[in-house]
Amino acid sequence: FEKTLSDLVKGLRSNKRRESEYVAKCVAEIKDELSGKDKSQQVKANAVLKLTYLQMLGFDMSWASFHIVEVMSFPSFSHKRLGYLGASVSFNDETEVVLLCTNMFKKDFSSANPYEVGIAINCLSNICTTDLARDLVADVVTLMNSNRAYVRKKAVLVMYKIFLKFPDALRPSFPKLKEKLEDRDTSAVSCAVNVICELARKNPQNYLSLAPLFFKLLTVTANNWMLIKIVKLLGALCPLEPRLGKKLVEPLTNIINTTPAKSLLYECIHTVSVGMTPHLPIVQLSMEKLKGFVEDEDQNLKYLGLLAMGNFMKVHPRVVAEHKTMVLKCLDDEDVTIRHRALDLVSGMVTKRNLAEIVRILMDHVSAAEGGFRQDLVSKIVEVCSANGYAAVTDFEWYVSTLCRLARTPGVCNGHQIRQQLMDVVIRVRMVRPFGVRMMTEILGDEEMFAQSTRDVSLAEVLYAAAWLVGEFAVFLEEGQHQKVMEALLSPRVTTLPEHVQSVYLHNAVKVYVSAARTENPHAA
């Protein structure tokens, strides 16, 4: 009357409030089933199945490792399968009885039943240790030549786990793995492609010699999954061999134009973006296809489209800039990750001609944005305007006005950035100093902005810049403004500002006073 797995599951559901007690009772029963000499192999296999389920629920069943090995050795396939399942779920690198499995694996690898060989390979992939990998690599290489495709493909796949645990096996066994790329069975070829692609992720240079073979597979296979892997590997090899990119133009163009599979299409476009950018026709074709991604209602496709555009932006900013309107439209997307990805593309689209237009669009979004995205928008405005020493800015009065508008926008917490930009521009650009001083005078007298700065420490930094610039360039103050500025700088409410801002106010009040005195009496010392 032993409990079956179904009985165990039903019992757990009906004993949710005293689960620990129920599990302890079940474990005691399982121990009795495993240790009883008169218990049949079916009973022990069923006990291991229940232990496997409990292990998957989080209960530690490492104490039963030896019993699991015992079930793995049973001659019946139905029992053996449960033993291998239990080992796959519960064994790890610290399990001591793993060493007892070596001869068992060797025995099952030579079984006439391909399914016994299959479950042994599956288990090895899950519990492989350095010792097992070293002792069994020769047997697995032999299985790669099995006359059964079912066994060959599993043997090829488990080689990757063996290479990870025992890297010394890679060099002597790689020729056999390479042969599987020309296997008569498509599934075995697919497995070999997968293993080599995973190996090449760490060091593509070592697999450059396989480029002709993969190029051949690219042109003859119709398996989308395999094509994705091949294209990904060839994309990693393109930067290492420029001639390969030229050879890939025709087959990739054909795939991009004909495949209905979005996954394969994106992988081809990604390969173009990382290794085939010198070939403008396929770059332009890829950008047209990416337009479909970005305009798709699927948020995942839209994100991938913007991500790939970012790769093209590094080499062909003008090609991406042709889709400026579409990218800027993504700033209104409800998904914040898409908005950020679109914002990253903006900086590469800016020119002297369109700077004012792009900044205007970003400014419109600043007032409507919330949280961190608003700060990111302000940072992007500053970034595109100040890039390459303000290379795109043709009207610095416009830029100073834009910075002042940003400072007055509620919720903007980029005071440090705005302060740095105001001071940098007015100090470096002589022609803008009179206008800059006039704008700073307005900021010092802005009652609403001052009140807001007492609540927002970041905004106080803008007042810091205003006081410093008015004092430093007080000579540009218009007639009659000195008294107004002095009243703003020496107002009692200044004591509510941070101390470093107060010191700047006081220091520059002296400068303004001296400037006023000189204006009234030019002949004074």
Side-chain angles (χ1 to χ4, degrees), residues 249-411:
V249 169
E250 183 179 347
L252 287 191
T253 299
N254 182 50
I255 293 175
I256 291 173
N257 280 323
T258 58
T259 182
K262 294 288 187 181
S263 54
L264 176 57
L265 175 59
Y266 178 77
E267 204 58 57
C268 291
I269 293 173
H270 182 263
T271 296
V272 173
S273 70
V274 297
M276 300 174 62
T277 49
H279 307 284
L280 191 57
I282 196 170
V283 169
Q284 293 174 330
L285 174 63
S286 298
M287 285 301 303
E288 284 300 316
K289 294 296 182 179
L290 284 178
K291 183 179 178 181
F293 275 72
V294 177
E295 293 177 342
D296 198 286
E297 294 182 0
D298 189 322
Q299 297 293 80
N300 294 323
L301 292 179
K302 185 175 294 187
Y303 180 85
L304 289 174
L306 294 171
L307 188 66
M309 281 187 173
N311 293 333
F312 285 113
M313 178 67 76
K314 301 172 186 175
V315 184
H316 293 288
R318 292 185 179 180
V319 176
V320 180
E322 293 175 3
H323 304 278
K324 178 186 65 177
T325 304
M326 179 184 66
V327 172
L328 290 174
K329 187 178 179 181
C330 291
L331 293 174
D332 295 319
D333 197 275
E334 60 183 15
D335 189 331
V336 67
T337 59
I338 290 176
R339 296 202 300 267
H340 276 108
R341 188 57 60 188
L343 191 60
D344 290 339
L345 291 173
V346 168
S347 54
M349 300 179 177
V350 171
T351 64
K352 288 184 178 182
R353 292 182 178 181
N354 65 17
L355 174 64
E357 178 192 357
I358 289 179
V359 169
R360 178 184 59 78
I361 294 172
L362 295 180
M363 289 283 289
D364 291 341
H365 284 85
V366 168
S367 56
E370 298 179 355
F373 186 60
R374 177 188 287 133
Q375 321 316 326
D376 293 337
L377 283 166
V378 175
S379 297
K380 182 59 66 173
I381 291 172
V382 171
E383 178 189 327
V384 298
C385 291
S386 61
N388 301 319
Y390 307 98
V393 178
T394 56
D395 184 352
F396 282 96
E397 290 187 5
W398 164 83
Y399 185 40
V400 171
S401 298
T402 299
L403 291 171
C404 292
R405 282 178 57 200
L406 286 174
R408 289 186 170 95
T409 302

Side-chain angles (χ1 to χ4, degrees), residues 93-386:
D93 291 343
E94 306 300 323
T95 305
E96 295 179 357
V97 297
V98 167
L99 294 174
L100 301 177
C101 299
T102 304
N103 288 331
M104 194 179 309
F105 278 123
K106 287 179 176 288
K107 177 184 175 183
D108 287 336
F109 284 166
S110 60
S111 172
N113 184 345
Y115 300 110
E116 285 190 8
V117 181
I119 61 172
I121 293 175
N122 287 346
C123 183
L124 177 61
S125 68
N126 287 291
I127 70 172
C128 189
T129 63
T130 301
D131 292 332
L132 282 177
R134 183 187 60 246
D135 296 339
L136 297 175
V137 61
D139 299 86
V140 176
V141 170
T142 301
L143 291 176
M144 289 169 64
N145 292 324
S146 170
N147 58 359
R148 296 184 177 92
Y150 174 82
V151 174
R152 289 202 305 276
K153 66 181 181 181
K154 287 181 175 290
V156 169
L157 285 175
V158 82
M159 287 300 294
Y160 178 65
K161 285 295 186 74
I162 290 176
F163 294 149
L164 292 181
K165 294 293 183 179
F166 185 54
D168 291 346
L170 178 57
R171 188 177 296 275
S173 57
F174 190 76
K176 288 289 184 181
L177 179 61
K178 181 180 176 181
E179 289 178 7
K180 298 299 107 181
L181 291 174
E182 299 178 288
D183 195 275
R184 60 185 179 276
D185 184 79
T186 305
S187 62
V189 175
S190 182
C191 292
V193 168
N194 184 51
V195 171
I196 293 175
C197 283
E198 291 301 315
L199 294 173
R201 287 174 62 183
K202 296 184 177 180
N203 192 356
Q205 181 72 44
N206 291 344
Y207 304 91
L208 192 56
S209 61
L210 297 178
L213 201 52
F214 279 107
F215 182 83
K216 178 183 176 182
L217 287 173
L218 180 68
T219 57
V220 299
T221 185
N223 184 322
N224 280 349
W225 188 92
M226 195 192 307
L227 282 172
I228 290 172
K229 289 290 184 179
I230 293 171
V231 169
K232 185 176 292 188
L233 177 57
L234 291 174
L237 298 179
C238 277
L240 305 175
E241 177 51 77
R243 293 175 298 178
L244 180 59
K246 186 177 180 180
K247 291 278 290 182
L248 287 174
V249 169
E250 183 179 347
L252 287 191
T253 299
N254 182 50
I255 293 175
I256 291 173
N257 280 323
T258 58
T259 182
K262 294 288 187 181
S263 54
L264 176 57
L265 175 59
Y266 178 77
E267 204 58 57
C268 291
I269 293 173
H270 182 263
T271 296
V272 173
S273 70
V274 297
M276 300 174 62
T277 49
H279 307 284
L280 191 57
I282 196 170
V283 169
Q284 293 174 330
L285 174 63
S286 298
M287 285 301 303
E288 284 300 316
K289 294 296 182 179
L290 284 178
K291 183 179 178 181
F293 275 72
V294 177
E295 293 177 342
D296 198 286
E297 294 182 0
D298 189 322
Q299 297 293 80
N300 294 323
L301 292 179
K302 185 175 294 187
Y303 180 85
L304 289 174
L306 294 171
L307 188 66
M309 281 187 173
N311 293 333
F312 285 113
M313 178 67 76
K314 301 172 186 175
V315 184
H316 293 288
R318 292 185 179 180
V319 176
V320 180
E322 293 175 3
H323 304 278
K324 178 186 65 177
T325 304
M326 179 184 66
V327 172
L328 290 174
K329 187 178 179 181
C330 291
L331 293 174
D332 295 319
D333 197 275
E334 60 183 15
D335 189 331
V336 67
T337 59
I338 290 176
R339 296 202 300 267
H340 276 108
R341 188 57 60 188
L343 191 60
D344 290 339
L345 291 173
V346 168
S347 54
M349 300 179 177
V350 171
T351 64
K352 288 184 178 182
R353 292 182 178 181
N354 65 17
L355 174 64
E357 178 192 357
I358 289 179
V359 169
R360 178 184 59 78
I361 294 172
L362 295 180
M363 289 283 289
D364 291 341
H365 284 85
V366 168
S367 56
E370 298 179 355
F373 186 60
R374 177 188 287 133
Q375 321 316 326
D376 293 337
L377 283 166
V378 175
S379 297
K380 182 59 66 173
I381 291 172
V382 171
E383 178 189 327
V384 298
C385 291
S386 61

Side-chain angles (χ1 to χ4, degrees), residues 448-520:
E448 184 179 346
M449 190 170 179
F450 190 94
Q452 189 177 346
S453 67
T454 59
R455 301 186 298 270
D456 182 1
V457 179
S458 172
L459 194 57
E461 297 299 324
V462 180
L463 297 178
Y464 177 108
W468 193 94
L469 290 171
V470 168
E472 186 68 19
F473 302 108
V475 66
F476 295 109
L477 284 169
E478 297 175 357
E479 186 177 351
Q481 283 191 324
H482 291 82
Q483 183 176 352
K484 179 182 176 182
V485 171
M486 287 292 291
E487 291 175 356
L489 292 175
L490 298 177
S491 171
R493 62 184 183 174
V494 173
T495 56
T496 61
L497 296 173
E499 293 180 357
H500 70 288
V501 180
Q502 292 182 43
S503 66
V504 170
Y505 264 60
L506 184 59
H507 184 196
N508 287 279
V510 176
K511 293 182 181 180
V512 174
Y513 177 79
V514 171
S515 175
R518 286 179 175 174
T519 301
E520 294 180 5

